[in-house]
Amino acid sequence: QICSADSSLTKGTFDPEAETCQALLRIGAICSTAQFEKDQDDVPVLQRSTIGDASESGIIKFCQPIRDIDEHRSKHDQKFQLPFNSTNKFMLTINETEDPDDDRRILLMKGAPERVVNRCSHILINGEELELDEEWKESFQEAYDTLGGMGERVLGFAQMYPDRCRMLPG
């Protein structure tokens, strides 16, 4: 499903409160090095200056009106970061969860869609985690081709809770 949204959040076909949208917002806000320049609280979000590339800046400008990205980041303490590079074509972070009673870590990934989807075994659809089978991969490829054909910048987003047995404390 391709949903539309404009950056004013007054139009679109997505529900920012839906679990799937919340996952996208979490990844967009936290798995990013982009930030707003200081002392711009009185400036409308879309007019704020940012530090970061155009795609990253666009993502945080989209996320900010829904939930403050600094607050979001502060509640997901980062434990590890693999920065984006032209070889991997993705960025990856491991963070604490927002719930102080949840000792799991959450792995967040954002990058080239083909690089992200090739590392996934499941897909989140309307809040339900489903196996990423060939049918879903074909649907993904169709959406990717459609958006790419329209000249849109397409990014892949993923999250998982790594197996505790493989995670080192801290």
Side-chain angles (χ1 to χ4, degrees), residues 72-161:
H72 211 153
R73 289 173 179 174
S74 73
K75 295 196 181 278
H76 291 84
D77 188 39
Q78 189 177 97
K79 298 299 183 184
F80 175 81
Q81 180 187 107
L82 178 63
F84 180 89
N85 67 56
S86 59
T87 302
N88 293 336
K89 297 186 179 178
F90 62 81
M91 177 181 180
L92 181 144
T93 65
I94 298 176
N95 303 76
E96 291 182 352
T97 63
E98 187 167 359
D99 181 353
D101 296 327
D102 185 351
D103 65 350
R104 295 178 300 168
R105 302 290 188 252
I106 186 168
L107 182 147
L108 306 173
M109 178 187 239
K110 177 176 68 346
E114 68 280 3
R115 298 294 177 105
V116 174
V117 78
N118 286 340
R119 288 169 171 78
C120 294
S121 61
H122 291 77
I123 186 170
L124 190 62
I125 302 292
N126 296 324
E128 184 179 355
E129 195 174 296
L130 305 172
E131 184 177 343
L132 183 59
D133 59 18
E134 287 306 312
E135 188 175 335
W136 280 116
K137 287 180 182 179
E138 287 175 23
S139 292
F140 163 83
Q141 191 63 47
E142 284 178 30
Y144 177 60
D145 292 343
T146 297
L147 291 167
M150 295 166 47
E152 299 290 342
R153 175 83 166 105
V154 182
L155 294 174
F157 291 71
Q159 70 175 16
M160 72 172 285
Y161 294 92

Coordinates of all heavy atoms in Angstrom, one line a residue, residues 72-161:
H72 N 12.1 12.1 21.4 CA 12.0 10.7 21.0 C 13.4 10.1 21.1 O 13.5 9.0 21.6 CB 11.6 10.7 19.5 CG 10.8 9.5 19.1 ND1 9.9 9.5 18.1 CD2 10.8 8.3 19.6 CE1 9.4 8.3 18.0 NE2 9.9 7.6 18.8
R73 N 14.4 10.8 20.7 CA 15.8 10.2 20.8 C 16.2 10.1 22.2 O 16.9 9.1 22.5 CB 16.8 11.2 20.0 CG 16.6 11.1 18.5 CD 17.4 12.1 17.8 NE 17.2 12.0 16.3 CZ 17.7 12.9 15.5 NH1 18.5 13.9 15.9 NH2 17.5 12.7 14.2
S74 N 15.9 11.0 23.1 CA 16.3 10.9 24.5 C 15.7 9.7 25.2 O 16.2 9.2 26.2 CB 16.0 12.2 25.2 OG 14.6 12.3 25.5
K75 N 14.6 9.3 24.7 CA 13.9 8.1 25.3 C 14.3 6.8 24.7 O 13.9 5.7 25.2 CB 12.4 8.3 25.2 CG 11.9 9.4 26.0 CD 10.4 9.4 26.2 CE 9.9 10.6 27.0 NZ 10.1 10.5 28.4
H76 N 15.2 6.8 23.8 CA 15.8 5.6 23.1 C 17.3 5.7 23.1 O 17.9 5.9 22.0 CB 15.3 5.4 21.7 CG 13.8 5.1 21.6 ND1 12.8 6.1 21.6 CD2 13.2 3.9 21.5 CE1 11.7 5.5 21.5 NE2 11.8 4.2 21.4
D77 N 17.9 5.6 24.3 CA 19.4 5.8 24.4 C 20.1 4.9 23.4 O 19.9 3.7 23.3 CB 19.8 5.5 25.8 CG 21.3 5.8 26.0 OD1 21.7 6.9 25.5 OD2 21.9 5.1 26.7
Q78 N 20.9 5.5 22.6 CA 21.7 4.7 21.5 C 22.8 4.0 22.1 O 23.7 4.6 22.8 CB 22.1 5.7 20.4 CG 22.7 5.0 19.3 CD 23.1 5.9 18.2 OE1 24.2 6.3 18.0 NE2 22.1 6.4 17.4
K79 N 22.9 2.7 21.8 CA 24.0 1.8 22.3 C 25.0 1.6 21.2 O 26.2 1.2 21.5 CB 23.4 0.5 22.9 CG 22.5 0.7 24.0 CD 23.2 1.4 25.2 CE 22.4 1.5 26.4 NZ 23.1 2.2 27.5
F80 N 24.6 1.6 20.0 CA 25.5 1.3 18.9 C 25.0 2.0 17.6 O 23.8 2.2 17.4 CB 25.6 -0.2 18.6 CG 26.4 -0.6 17.4 CD1 27.7 -0.7 17.5 CD2 25.7 -0.9 16.2 CE1 28.5 -1.0 16.4 CE2 26.5 -1.2 15.1 CZ 27.8 -1.3 15.2
Q81 N 26.0 2.4 16.8 CA 25.6 3.0 15.5 C 26.6 2.6 14.4 O 27.8 2.6 14.6 CB 25.6 4.5 15.5 CG 25.3 5.2 14.2 CD 25.5 6.7 14.2 OE1 26.4 7.2 13.6 NE2 24.6 7.4 14.9
L82 N 26.0 2.1 13.3 CA 26.8 1.8 12.1 C 26.3 2.9 11.1 O 25.2 2.9 10.6 CB 26.4 0.4 11.5 CG 27.1 0.1 10.2 CD1 28.7 0.0 10.4 CD2 26.6 -1.2 9.7
P83 N 27.2 3.9 10.9 CA 26.8 5.1 10.1 C 26.6 4.6 8.6 O 27.1 3.6 8.1 CB 28.0 6.0 10.1 CG 28.8 5.6 11.3 CD 28.5 4.1 11.5
F84 N 25.7 5.4 7.9 CA 25.5 5.2 6.5 C 26.9 5.3 5.8 O 27.7 6.1 6.1 CB 24.5 6.2 5.9 CG 24.3 6.0 4.5 CD1 23.3 5.1 4.0 CD2 25.1 6.6 3.5 CE1 23.0 4.9 2.7 CE2 24.8 6.4 2.2 CZ 23.8 5.6 1.7
N85 N 27.1 4.4 4.8 CA 28.2 4.6 3.9 C 27.8 4.0 2.5 O 26.8 3.3 2.4 CB 29.5 3.9 4.4 CG 29.4 2.4 4.5 OD1 29.1 1.7 3.5 ND2 29.6 1.9 5.7
S86 N 28.6 4.4 1.5 CA 28.2 4.1 0.2 C 28.4 2.6 -0.2 O 27.9 2.1 -1.2 CB 29.0 4.9 -0.8 OG 30.4 4.7 -0.6
T87 N 29.1 1.9 0.7 CA 29.2 0.4 0.4 C 28.0 -0.3 1.0 O 27.4 -1.1 0.3 CB 30.5 -0.1 1.1 OG1 31.6 0.6 0.6 CG2 30.7 -1.6 0.9
N88 N 27.7 -0.1 2.2 CA 26.5 -0.7 2.8 C 25.2 -0.2 2.3 O 24.2 -0.9 2.2 CB 26.5 -0.6 4.4 CG 27.6 -1.3 5.0 OD1 28.2 -2.3 4.5 ND2 28.0 -0.8 6.2
K89 N 25.1 1.1 2.1 CA 23.9 1.9 1.7 C 22.8 1.8 2.7 O 21.6 1.8 2.4 CB 23.5 1.4 0.3 CG 24.5 1.7 -0.8 CD 23.9 1.3 -2.1 CE 25.0 1.6 -3.2 NZ 24.6 1.3 -4.5
F90 N 23.1 1.7 4.0 CA 22.2 1.8 5.0 C 22.8 2.3 6.3 O 24.0 2.2 6.4 CB 21.5 0.4 5.3 CG 22.4 -0.7 5.8 CD1 22.8 -0.8 7.1 CD2 22.8 -1.7 4.9 CE1 23.6 -1.8 7.5 CE2 23.7 -2.7 5.3 CZ 24.1 -2.8 6.6
M91 N 22.0 2.7 7.2 CA 22.4 3.1 8.6 C 21.7 2.2 9.6 O 20.6 1.8 9.3 CB 22.1 4.6 8.9 CG 22.4 5.0 10.3 SD 21.9 6.7 10.6 CE 22.5 6.9 12.2
L92 N 22.4 1.8 10.6 CA 21.8 0.9 11.6 C 22.2 1.5 13.0 O 23.3 1.9 13.3 CB 22.5 -0.4 11.4 CG 22.0 -1.6 12.3 CD1 22.0 -2.9 11.5 CD2 22.9 -1.7 13.5
T93 N 21.2 1.4 13.9 CA 21.4 1.8 15.3 C 20.8 0.7 16.2 O 19.9 0.0 15.8 CB 20.8 3.1 15.7 OG1 19.4 3.1 15.6 CG2 21.4 4.3 14.9
I94 N 21.4 0.5 17.4 CA 20.8 -0.3 18.4 C 20.5 0.6 19.6 O 21.4 1.3 20.0 CB 21.7 -1.5 18.8 CG1 21.9 -2.4 17.6 CG2 21.1 -2.3 20.0 CD1 22.9 -3.5 17.8
N95 N 19.3 0.6 20.0 CA 18.9 1.6 21.1 C 18.1 0.9 22.2 O 17.6 -0.2 22.0 CB 17.9 2.6 20.5 CG 18.5 3.4 19.3 OD1 18.6 2.8 18.2 ND2 18.9 4.6 19.6
E96 N 18.0 1.5 23.3 CA 17.1 1.1 24.4 C 15.7 1.3 23.9 O 15.5 2.2 23.1 CB 17.4 1.8 25.7 CG 18.7 1.5 26.3 CD 18.9 2.2 27.6 OE1 18.1 3.1 28.0 OE2 19.9 1.9 28.3
T97 N 14.8 0.6 24.5 CA 13.4 0.8 24.2 C 12.9 2.0 25.0 O 13.6 2.4 26.0 CB 12.5 -0.4 24.4 OG1 12.5 -0.7 25.8 CG2 12.9 -1.6 23.6
E98 N 11.8 2.6 24.7 CA 11.2 3.7 25.4 C 10.7 3.3 26.8 O 10.8 4.1 27.7 CB 10.1 4.3 24.6 CG 9.6 5.6 25.2 CD 8.7 6.4 24.2 OE1 8.5 5.9 23.1 OE2 8.2 7.4 24.6
D99 N 10.3 2.1 27.0 CA 9.7 1.6 28.2 C 10.9 1.3 29.2 O 11.7 0.4 29.0 CB 8.9 0.4 28.0 CG 8.3 -0.2 29.2 OD1 8.5 0.3 30.3 OD2 7.5 -1.2 29.1
P100 N 11.0 2.0 30.3 CA 12.1 1.8 31.3 C 12.0 0.4 31.9 O 13.0 -0.1 32.4 CB 12.0 2.9 32.3 CG 10.6 3.4 32.2 CD 10.1 3.1 30.8
D101 N 10.9 -0.3 31.9 CA 10.7 -1.7 32.4 C 11.1 -2.7 31.4 O 11.0 -3.9 31.7 CB 9.3 -1.9 32.9 CG 9.0 -0.9 34.1 OD1 9.9 -0.6 34.9 OD2 7.8 -0.5 34.2
D102 N 11.4 -2.3 30.1 CA 11.7 -3.3 29.1 C 13.2 -3.3 28.8 O 13.7 -2.2 28.4 CB 10.9 -2.8 27.8 CG 11.1 -3.8 26.6 OD1 11.9 -4.8 26.7 OD2 10.4 -3.6 25.6
D103 N 13.9 -4.3 29.2 CA 15.3 -4.4 29.1 C 15.8 -4.8 27.7 O 17.0 -5.0 27.5 CB 15.9 -5.2 30.2 CG 15.6 -6.7 30.0 OD1 14.7 -7.0 29.2 OD2 16.2 -7.5 30.8
R104 N 14.9 -5.0 26.7 CA 15.3 -5.3 25.4 C 16.0 -4.2 24.7 O 15.8 -3.0 25.1 CB 14.1 -5.8 24.5 CG 13.5 -7.0 25.0 CD 12.3 -7.4 24.1 NE 11.3 -6.3 24.2 CZ 10.3 -6.2 23.3 NH1 10.1 -7.1 22.4 NH2 9.4 -5.2 23.4
R105 N 16.7 -4.4 23.6 CA 17.2 -3.4 22.7 C 16.4 -3.5 21.4 O 15.8 -4.5 21.1 CB 18.7 -3.6 22.4 CG 19.6 -3.7 23.6 CD 19.7 -2.3 24.2 NE 20.7 -2.3 25.3 CZ 20.4 -2.2 26.6 NH1 19.2 -2.1 27.0 NH2 21.4 -2.1 27.5
I106 N 16.3 -2.4 20.7 CA 15.7 -2.4 19.4 C 16.7 -2.0 18.4 O 17.4 -1.0 18.5 CB 14.4 -1.4 19.4 CG1 13.7 -1.6 18.1 CG2 14.8 0.0 19.7 CD1 12.3 -0.9 18.1
L107 N 16.8 -2.7 17.3 CA 17.6 -2.5 16.2 C 16.8 -1.7 15.1 O 15.7 -2.2 14.8 CB 18.2 -3.8 15.6 CG 19.2 -3.7 14.5 CD1 20.2 -4.8 14.6 CD2 18.5 -3.7 13.1
L108 N 17.3 -0.6 14.7 CA 16.7 0.2 13.7 C 17.6 0.4 12.5 O 18.8 0.6 12.6 CB 16.3 1.6 14.2 CG 15.6 1.7 15.6 CD1 15.5 3.1 16.1 CD2 14.2 1.0 15.4
M109 N 17.0 0.3 11.3 CA 17.8 0.3 10.0 C 17.0 1.2 9.0 O 15.8 1.1 8.9 CB 18.0 -1.1 9.5 CG 18.7 -1.2 8.2 SD 18.7 -2.9 7.6 CE 20.4 -3.2 7.5
K110 N 17.8 2.0 8.3 CA 17.2 2.8 7.2 C 18.2 2.9 6.1 O 19.4 3.1 6.3 CB 16.9 4.2 7.8 CG 16.4 5.2 6.8 CD 16.0 6.5 7.5 CE 17.0 7.4 8.0 NZ 18.3 7.3 8.3
G111 N 17.7 2.8 4.9 CA 18.6 2.9 3.7 C 18.0 2.5 2.4 O 16.8 2.5 2.2
A112 N 18.9 2.1 1.5 CA 18.5 1.7 0.2 C 17.5 0.5 0.3 O 17.8 -0.4 1.0 CB 19.7 1.2 -0.7
P113 N 16.3 0.7 -0.3 CA 15.2 -0.3 -0.1 C 15.7 -1.8 -0.3 O 15.4 -2.7 0.5 CB 14.1 0.1 -1.1 CG 14.4 1.6 -1.2 CD 15.9 1.8 -1.2
E114 N 16.4 -2.0 -1.4 CA 16.8 -3.3 -1.7 C 17.8 -3.9 -0.7 O 17.8 -5.1 -0.4 CB 17.4 -3.4 -3.1 CG 18.8 -2.7 -3.3 CD 18.7 -1.2 -3.5 OE1 17.6 -0.6 -3.5 OE2 19.8 -0.6 -3.7
R115 N 18.6 -3.0 -0.1 CA 19.5 -3.5 1.0 C 18.8 -3.8 2.3 O 19.1 -4.7 3.0 CB 20.6 -2.4 1.3 CG 21.5 -2.1 0.1 CD 22.4 -3.3 -0.3 NE 23.2 -3.0 -1.5 CZ 24.4 -2.7 -1.4 NH1 25.1 -2.7 -0.3 NH2 25.1 -2.5 -2.6
V116 N 17.8 -3.0 2.6 CA 17.0 -3.2 3.8 C 16.1 -4.5 3.7 O 16.1 -5.4 4.5 CB 16.2 -2.0 4.2 CG1 15.2 -2.3 5.3 CG2 17.1 -0.8 4.5
V117 N 15.4 -4.6 2.6 CA 14.4 -5.7 2.4 C 15.1 -7.0 2.4 O 14.6 -8.0 2.8 CB 13.4 -5.5 1.3 CG1 14.1 -5.8 -0.1 CG2 12.2 -6.3 1.4
N118 N 16.3 -7.0 1.8 CA 17.1 -8.3 1.7 C 17.6 -8.8 3.1 O 18.0 -9.9 3.2 CB 18.3 -8.1 0.8 CG 17.9 -8.1 -0.7 OD1 16.8 -8.5 -1.1 ND2 18.7 -7.5 -1.5
R119 N 17.5 -8.0 4.1 CA 17.9 -8.4 5.4 C 16.7 -8.6 6.3 O 16.8 -8.9 7.5 CB 18.7 -7.3 6.1 CG 20.1 -7.2 5.4 CD 20.9 -6.0 5.8 NE 22.3 -6.1 5.4 CZ 22.7 -5.8 4.2 NH1 21.9 -5.5 3.2 NH2 24.0 -5.9 3.9
C120 N 15.5 -8.6 5.7 CA 14.2 -8.8 6.5 C 13.6 -10.2 6.3 O 13.7 -10.7 5.1 CB 13.2 -7.7 6.1 SG 13.8 -6.1 6.6
S121 N 13.0 -10.7 7.3 CA 12.2 -11.9 7.2 C 10.7 -11.7 7.4 O 9.9 -12.5 7.1 CB 12.7 -12.9 8.2 OG 12.5 -12.4 9.5
H122 N 10.4 -10.5 7.9 CA 9.0 -10.2 8.2 C 8.7 -8.7 7.7 O 9.6 -8.0 7.5 CB 8.7 -10.3 9.7 CG 8.7 -11.8 10.1 ND1 9.9 -12.5 10.3 CD2 7.7 -12.6 10.3 CE1 9.6 -13.7 10.7 NE2 8.2 -13.8 10.7
I123 N 7.4 -8.5 7.6 CA 7.0 -7.1 7.2 C 5.8 -6.7 8.1 O 5.0 -7.6 8.6 CB 6.5 -7.1 5.7 CG1 6.2 -5.7 5.2 CG2 5.4 -8.1 5.5 CD1 6.0 -5.6 3.7
L124 N 5.8 -5.4 8.5 CA 4.7 -4.9 9.4 C 3.6 -4.3 8.5 O 3.9 -3.3 7.9 CB 5.3 -3.9 10.4 CG 4.5 -3.4 11.5 CD1 4.1 -4.6 12.4 CD2 5.2 -2.4 12.3
I125 N 2.5 -4.9 8.6 CA 1.3 -4.4 7.8 C 0.2 -4.2 8.7 O -0.3 -5.1 9.4 CB 0.9 -5.5 6.7 CG1 2.0 -5.8 5.7 CG2 -0.4 -5.0 5.9 CD1 2.4 -4.6 4.8
N126 N -0.3 -2.9 8.8 CA -1.4 -2.5 9.7 C -1.2 -3.1 11.1 O -2.1 -3.6 11.7 CB -2.7 -3.0 9.1 CG -3.0 -2.4 7.7 OD1 -2.8 -1.2 7.5 ND2 -3.6 -3.2 6.8
G127 N 0.0 -2.9 11.6 CA 0.4 -3.3 12.9 C 0.6 -4.8 13.1 O 0.9 -5.2 14.2
E128 N 0.5 -5.6 12.1 CA 0.6 -7.0 12.2 C 1.9 -7.5 11.5 O 2.2 -7.1 10.4 CB -0.6 -7.8 11.6 CG -0.5 -9.3 11.7 CD -1.8 -9.9 11.1 OE1 -2.7 -9.3 10.6 OE2 -1.8 -11.2 11.1
E129 N 2.7 -8.2 12.2 CA 4.0 -8.7 11.7 C 3.7 -10.0 10.9 O 3.2 -11.0 11.4 CB 5.0 -9.0 12.8 CG 6.4 -9.2 12.3 CD 7.4 -9.3 13.5 OE1 7.5 -8.4 14.2 OE2 7.9 -10.4 13.6
L130 N 4.0 -9.9 9.6 CA 3.7 -11.0 8.6 C 5.0 -11.5 8.0 O 6.0 -10.7 7.9 CB 2.8 -10.6 7.5 CG 1.4 -10.0 7.9 CD1 0.7 -9.5 6.7 CD2 0.6 -11.0 8.7
E131 N 5.1 -12.8 7.6 CA 6.3 -13.3 7.0 C 6.4 -12.6 5.6 O 5.5 -12.4 4.9 CB 6.1 -14.8 6.7 CG 7.4 -15.4 6.1 CD 7.3 -16.9 5.9 OE1 6.4 -17.5 6.5 OE2 8.1 -17.4 5.1
L132 N 7.7 -12.2 5.3 CA 8.0 -11.5 4.1 C 8.2 -12.6 3.0 O 9.3 -13.0 2.7 CB 9.2 -10.6 4.2 CG 9.6 -9.8 3.0 CD1 8.5 -8.8 2.6 CD2 10.9 -9.0 3.4
D133 N 7.1 -13.0 2.4 CA 7.1 -14.1 1.4 C 7.3 -13.4 0.0 O 7.4 -12.2 -0.1 CB 5.9 -14.9 1.5 CG 4.6 -14.2 1.3 OD1 4.6 -13.0 0.8 OD2 3.5 -14.7 1.7
E134 N 7.3 -14.3 -1.0 CA 7.5 -13.8 -2.4 C 6.4 -12.8 -2.8 O 6.7 -11.9 -3.5 CB 7.6 -15.0 -3.3 CG 8.9 -15.7 -3.2 CD 10.1 -14.8 -3.4 OE1 10.2 -14.0 -4.3 OE2 11.0 -15.0 -2.5
E135 N 5.2 -13.0 -2.4 CA 4.1 -12.1 -2.7 C 4.3 -10.7 -2.2 O 4.1 -9.7 -2.9 CB 2.7 -12.7 -2.2 CG 1.5 -11.9 -2.7 CD 0.2 -12.6 -2.3 OE1 0.2 -13.8 -2.0 OE2 -0.8 -11.8 -2.2
W136 N 4.8 -10.7 -0.9 CA 5.0 -9.4 -0.3 C 6.3 -8.7 -1.0 O 6.3 -7.5 -1.2 CB 5.3 -9.5 1.2 CG 4.0 -9.5 2.0 CD1 3.6 -10.6 2.7 CD2 3.0 -8.6 2.0 NE1 2.3 -10.3 3.2 CE2 1.9 -9.0 2.8 CE3 2.8 -7.3 1.5 CZ2 0.8 -8.3 3.1 CZ3 1.7 -6.6 1.7 CH2 0.7 -7.1 2.6
K137 N 7.3 -9.5 -1.3 CA 8.4 -9.0 -2.0 C 8.1 -8.4 -3.4 O 8.6 -7.4 -3.8 CB 9.5 -10.1 -2.2 CG 10.2 -10.4 -0.9 CD 11.3 -11.4 -1.0 CE 11.9 -11.8 0.3 NZ 12.9 -12.8 0.2
E138 N 7.1 -9.1 -4.1 CA 6.7 -8.6 -5.4 C 5.9 -7.2 -5.2 O 6.1 -6.3 -6.0 CB 5.8 -9.6 -6.1 CG 6.6 -10.8 -6.7 CD 5.7 -11.9 -7.2 OE1 4.5 -11.5 -7.6 OE2 6.1 -13.0 -7.3
S139 N 5.0 -7.2 -4.1 CA 4.3 -5.9 -3.8 C 5.3 -4.8 -3.5 O 5.1 -3.7 -3.9 CB 3.4 -6.2 -2.7 OG 2.3 -7.0 -3.0
F140 N 6.3 -5.1 -2.7 CA 7.3 -4.2 -2.4 C 8.0 -3.6 -3.7 O 8.2 -2.4 -3.8 CB 8.4 -4.8 -1.5 CG 9.6 -4.0 -1.4 CD1 9.8 -3.0 -0.5 CD2 10.7 -4.4 -2.2 CE1 10.9 -2.2 -0.5 CE2 11.9 -3.7 -2.1 CZ 12.0 -2.6 -1.3
Q141 N 8.4 -4.6 -4.5 CA 9.1 -4.2 -5.8 C 8.2 -3.3 -6.7 O 8.7 -2.3 -7.2 CB 9.6 -5.4 -6.5 CG 10.5 -5.1 -7.7 CD 11.8 -4.4 -7.2 OE1 12.4 -4.9 -6.3 NE2 12.2 -3.3 -7.8
E142 N 6.9 -3.6 -6.7 CA 6.0 -2.8 -7.5 C 5.9 -1.4 -6.9 O 5.9 -0.4 -7.7 CB 4.6 -3.4 -7.5 CG 4.4 -4.6 -8.4 CD 3.1 -5.3 -8.4 OE1 2.1 -4.5 -8.1 OE2 3.0 -6.5 -8.6
A143 N 5.8 -1.3 -5.6 CA 5.7 0.0 -5.0 C 7.0 0.8 -5.2 O 7.0 2.0 -5.5 CB 5.4 -0.1 -3.5
Y144 N 8.1 0.1 -5.1 CA 9.4 0.7 -5.3 C 9.5 1.3 -6.7 O 9.9 2.4 -6.9 CB 10.5 -0.3 -4.9 CG 11.9 0.2 -5.2 CD1 12.4 1.3 -4.5 CD2 12.7 -0.5 -6.0 CE1 13.7 1.7 -4.7 CE2 14.1 -0.1 -6.2 CZ 14.5 1.0 -5.5 OH 15.8 1.4 -5.7
D145 N 9.1 0.4 -7.7 CA 9.2 0.8 -9.1 C 8.2 2.0 -9.4 O 8.6 2.9 -10.1 CB 8.9 -0.4 -10.0 CG 9.9 -1.5 -10.0 OD1 11.1 -1.2 -9.5 OD2 9.6 -2.6 -10.4
T146 N 7.0 1.9 -8.8 CA 6.1 3.0 -9.0 C 6.6 4.3 -8.5 O 6.6 5.3 -9.2 CB 4.7 2.7 -8.4 OG1 4.2 1.5 -9.0 CG2 3.7 3.8 -8.5
L147 N 7.0 4.3 -7.3 CA 7.5 5.6 -6.7 C 8.8 6.1 -7.3 O 8.9 7.3 -7.6 CB 7.7 5.4 -5.2 CG 6.5 5.2 -4.4 CD1 6.8 4.7 -2.9 CD2 5.7 6.5 -4.3
G148 N 9.7 5.2 -7.6 CA 10.9 5.5 -8.3 C 10.6 6.1 -9.7 O 11.3 7.0 -10.1
G149 N 9.7 5.5 -10.4 CA 9.3 5.9 -11.7 C 8.7 7.3 -11.7 O 8.6 8.0 -12.7
M150 N 8.2 7.7 -10.5 CA 7.6 9.1 -10.4 C 8.7 10.1 -9.9 O 8.4 11.2 -9.7 CB 6.5 9.0 -9.3 CG 5.3 8.2 -9.7 SD 4.1 7.8 -8.4 CE 3.9 9.4 -7.6
G151 N 9.9 9.6 -9.8 CA 11.0 10.5 -9.4 C 11.1 10.7 -7.9 O 11.8 11.6 -7.4
E152 N 10.4 9.8 -7.1 CA 10.4 10.0 -5.7 C 11.6 9.3 -5.1 O 12.1 8.3 -5.6 CB 9.1 9.3 -5.1 CG 7.8 10.0 -5.5 CD 7.6 11.4 -5.0 OE1 8.3 11.7 -4.0 OE2 6.8 12.1 -5.5
R153 N 12.1 9.8 -4.0 CA 13.2 9.2 -3.3 C 12.6 8.1 -2.4 O 11.7 8.4 -1.6 CB 13.9 10.3 -2.4 CG 15.0 9.7 -1.5 CD 16.3 9.6 -2.3 NE 17.4 9.4 -1.4 CZ 18.0 8.2 -1.2 NH1 17.6 7.2 -1.9 NH2 19.0 8.1 -0.3
V154 N 13.1 6.9 -2.5 CA 12.5 5.8 -1.8 C 13.6 5.2 -0.8 O 14.7 5.0 -1.2 CB 12.1 4.7 -2.8 CG1 11.4 3.5 -2.0 CG2 11.1 5.2 -3.8
L155 N 13.2 5.1 0.4 CA 14.0 4.5 1.5 C 13.3 3.3 2.1 O 12.1 3.3 2.2 CB 14.3 5.5 2.5 CG 15.2 6.7 2.1 CD1 15.3 7.7 3.3 CD2 16.6 6.3 1.7
G156 N 14.1 2.4 2.6 CA 13.6 1.2 3.3 C 13.8 1.5 4.8 O 14.8 2.1 5.2
F157 N 12.9 1.0 5.6 CA 13.0 1.2 7.1 C 12.7 -0.2 7.7 O 11.9 -1.0 7.2 CB 11.8 2.1 7.6 CG 12.0 3.5 7.2 CD1 11.8 4.0 5.9 CD2 12.3 4.5 8.2 CE1 12.0 5.3 5.6 CE2 12.5 5.8 7.8 CZ 12.3 6.2 6.5
A158 N 13.5 -0.6 8.7 CA 13.3 -1.9 9.4 C 13.6 -1.7 10.9 O 14.3 -0.8 11.3 CB 14.2 -2.9 8.8
Q159 N 13.0 -2.6 11.6 CA 13.2 -2.7 13.1 C 13.1 -4.1 13.5 O 12.4 -4.9 12.9 CB 12.3 -1.8 13.9 CG 10.9 -2.3 13.9 CD 9.9 -1.6 14.8 OE1 10.2 -0.4 15.2 NE2 8.8 -2.1 15.1
M160 N 13.8 -4.4 14.6 CA 13.7 -5.7 15.2 C 14.2 -5.7 16.6 O 15.0 -4.8 17.0 CB 14.4 -6.8 14.4 CG 16.0 -6.8 14.5 SD 16.9 -8.1 13.8 CE 16.6 -9.4 15.0
Y161 N 13.8 -6.6 17.4 CA 14.3 -6.8 18.8 C 15.2 -7.9 18.7 O 14.8 -9.1 18.7 CB 13.1 -7.0 19.8 CG 12.2 -5.8 19.9 CD1 11.1 -5.7 19.1 CD2 12.5 -4.8 20.8 CE1 10.2 -4.6 19.2 CE2 11.6 -3.7 20.9 CZ 10.5 -3.6 20.1 OH 9.7 -2.5 20.2

